[in-house]
Amino acid sequence: MKENQTMVMEFILLGFRLGPRIQMLLFGLFSLFYAFTLLGNGVILGLISLDSRLHTPMYFFLSHLAIVDIAYACNTVPQMLVNLLNPARPISFAGCMTQTFLFLSFAHTECLLLVVMSYDRYVAICHPLRYSVIVSWRVCITLVVTSWTCGVLLALVHVSLILRLPFCGPHEINHFFCEILSVLKLACADTRLNKVVIFVASVFVLVEPLCLVLVSYMRILFAILRIQSGEGRRKAFSTSSSHLCVVGLFFGSAIVMYMAPKSRHPEEQQKILFLFYSLFNPMLNPLIYSLRKSEVKGTLRRAVCKESPIGRLFSLC
């Protein structure tokens, strides 16, 4: 009996249980969002790498956020689009575990990167004269490497605990990707240890980072209120408020998913919340964090004008 339980070859992702017409509509809509995600984050990476004026700590962190967002989308969205065209398409056990590992790695890393970026903004606004000393390139590289390392190691712990579990039928995952809580529901063994580790990890990568981010932005707000220039105060407040909106969406939906009582959030509602991670947040981050900045818009304008005779003709430069 135990041998039959552990010989799981594949899972079936049920995806969104909707009618064929609605699924085709979602396929077109999500494909468009996916394209915007890849295009927006790809443009950010290209502009940062090509323009030496963007080789600063802030854009160094933004480039890694763009990498995480692209990886997020590529890990979950293609499988979701395939399932919309071909519902109940199976995924191998190894593929499912790989998808879970990658999703958790990128989720943890993004949480920590958002904390790093809030610290960078705090130093830039509250200690501008000491910014280059405090946020040196050595510090930047250390913070980014630490974020990626912690993200991967935490994901490795979760997947290792899943692999020790036996699985028995049915092998249907009621989700559009191999989300860890949905996978654990299929295990025919005690999963309390897994859930305790998930809760502890959520405190480490969600609650504590969110508190640090909020403290940073509270100090930023106080510093902004002391700025004498109205234009400088407006610019600093606009940047910080947009960042805080993204942080609120990201951490808020994550805390609801992994720390709130599950009985209050039906599975279909959970799928919608997870769309924020895999699709909406990666698509919005370039617009909020990067493409609104004057330096990025100037670099993009110069790149377009350099390549486009029509742009030069109409004096876009």
Side-chain angles (χ1 to χ4, degrees):
M1 180 70 178
K2 185 176 181 179
E3 182 179 350
N4 291 334
Q5 290 176 346
T6 56
M7 290 298 292
V8 176
M9 300 302 295
E10 61 184 23
F11 292 109
I12 295 176
L13 294 171
L14 297 181
F16 297 96
R17 298 180 178 181
L18 302 168
R21 290 185 177 180
I22 298 180
Q23 292 202 157
M24 287 301 299
L25 177 63
L26 290 179
F27 175 82
L29 188 63
F30 291 161
S31 297
L32 190 62
F33 289 165
Y34 183 50
F36 282 147
T37 298
L38 298 183
L39 179 62
N41 288 285
V43 167
I44 295 304
L45 285 175
L47 293 176
I48 292 175
S49 62
L50 291 175
D51 194 338
S52 60
R53 283 167 288 197
L54 299 182
H55 294 175
T56 63
M58 180 179 66
Y59 290 104
F60 176 69
F61 297 138
L62 284 172
S63 66
H64 281 270
L65 183 67
I67 292 171
V68 171
D69 286 339
I70 291 174
Y72 248 140
C74 292
N75 181 47
T76 58
V77 177
Q79 181 74 48
M80 178 178 64
L81 295 177
V82 169
N83 285 348
L84 286 172
L85 290 179
N86 185 10
R89 183 182 177 90
I91 181 173
S92 67
F93 180 82
C96 187
M97 292 300 101
T98 300
Q99 190 178 59
T100 302
F101 169 74
L102 292 175
F103 177 81
L104 292 173
S105 297
F106 301 140
H108 296 151
T109 302
E110 179 155 356
C111 289
L112 299 175
L113 281 176
L114 289 174
V115 177
V116 169
M117 292 170 64
S118 69
Y119 173 72
D120 172 71
R121 291 298 83 206
Y122 161 72
V123 176
I125 294 175
C126 299
H127 304 283
L129 299 179
R130 300 176 56 203
Y131 178 79
S132 60
V133 176
I134 298 175
V135 189
S136 64
W137 279 111
R138 183 176 181 179
V139 171
C140 292
I141 294 172
T142 301
L143 290 173
V144 166
V145 170
T146 301
S147 299
W148 280 99
T149 303
C150 289
V152 171
L153 290 179
L154 281 172
L156 194 59
V157 170
H158 289 305
V159 173
S160 299
L161 290 175
I162 293 176
L163 292 175
R164 61 181 263 282
L165 297 172
F167 289 88
C168 48
H171 299 154
E172 295 180 341
I173 299 176
N174 189 16
H175 218 294
F176 59 83
F177 76 105
C178 291
E179 192 272 323
I180 184 170
L181 294 178
S182 299
V183 172
L184 288 177
K185 290 178 182 178
L186 305 184
C188 43
D190 189 0
T191 61
R192 282 180 293 182
L193 176 61
N194 299 72
K195 293 178 180 178
V196 168
V197 173
I198 290 173
F199 184 83
V200 173
S202 297
V203 173
F204 175 70
V205 298
L206 290 176
V207 178
E208 291 184 0
L210 179 59
C211 292
L212 292 174
V213 169
L214 292 177
V215 169
S216 297
Y217 279 102
M218 284 180 61
R219 294 191 174 184
I220 289 172
L221 178 61
F222 292 145
I224 290 173
L225 294 176
R226 291 196 299 267
I227 296 176
Q228 299 297 324
S229 168
E231 178 65 21
R233 186 163 54 244
R234 185 198 62 79
K235 182 178 179 182
F237 182 78
S238 174
T239 302
S240 300
S241 61
S242 61
H243 291 190
L244 200 55
C245 288
V246 173
V247 169
L249 281 174
F250 184 85
F251 283 99
S253 54
I255 289 173
V256 168
M257 286 304 309
Y258 289 106
M259 305 192 74
K262 294 297 175 286
S263 58
R264 298 182 183 180
H265 306 287
E267 290 181 330
E268 296 304 315
Q269 183 179 342
Q270 294 178 20
K271 296 176 189 178
I272 296 174
L273 286 175
F274 271 102
L275 285 175
F276 280 100
Y277 288 100
S278 55
L279 199 56
F280 298 142
N281 265 353
M283 181 181 66
L284 293 175
N285 281 347
L287 298 174
I288 294 177
Y289 277 104
S290 302
L291 293 177
R292 292 179 59 195
K293 295 182 179 296
S294 58
E295 300 95 331
V296 176
K297 289 190 288 188
T299 301
L300 181 60
R301 190 180 300 113
R302 286 190 295 270
V304 171
C305 292
K306 183 178 179 180
E307 298 295 332
S308 173
I310 297 178
R312 289 195 297 270
L313 179 62
F314 287 96
S315 301
L316 292 178
C317 296

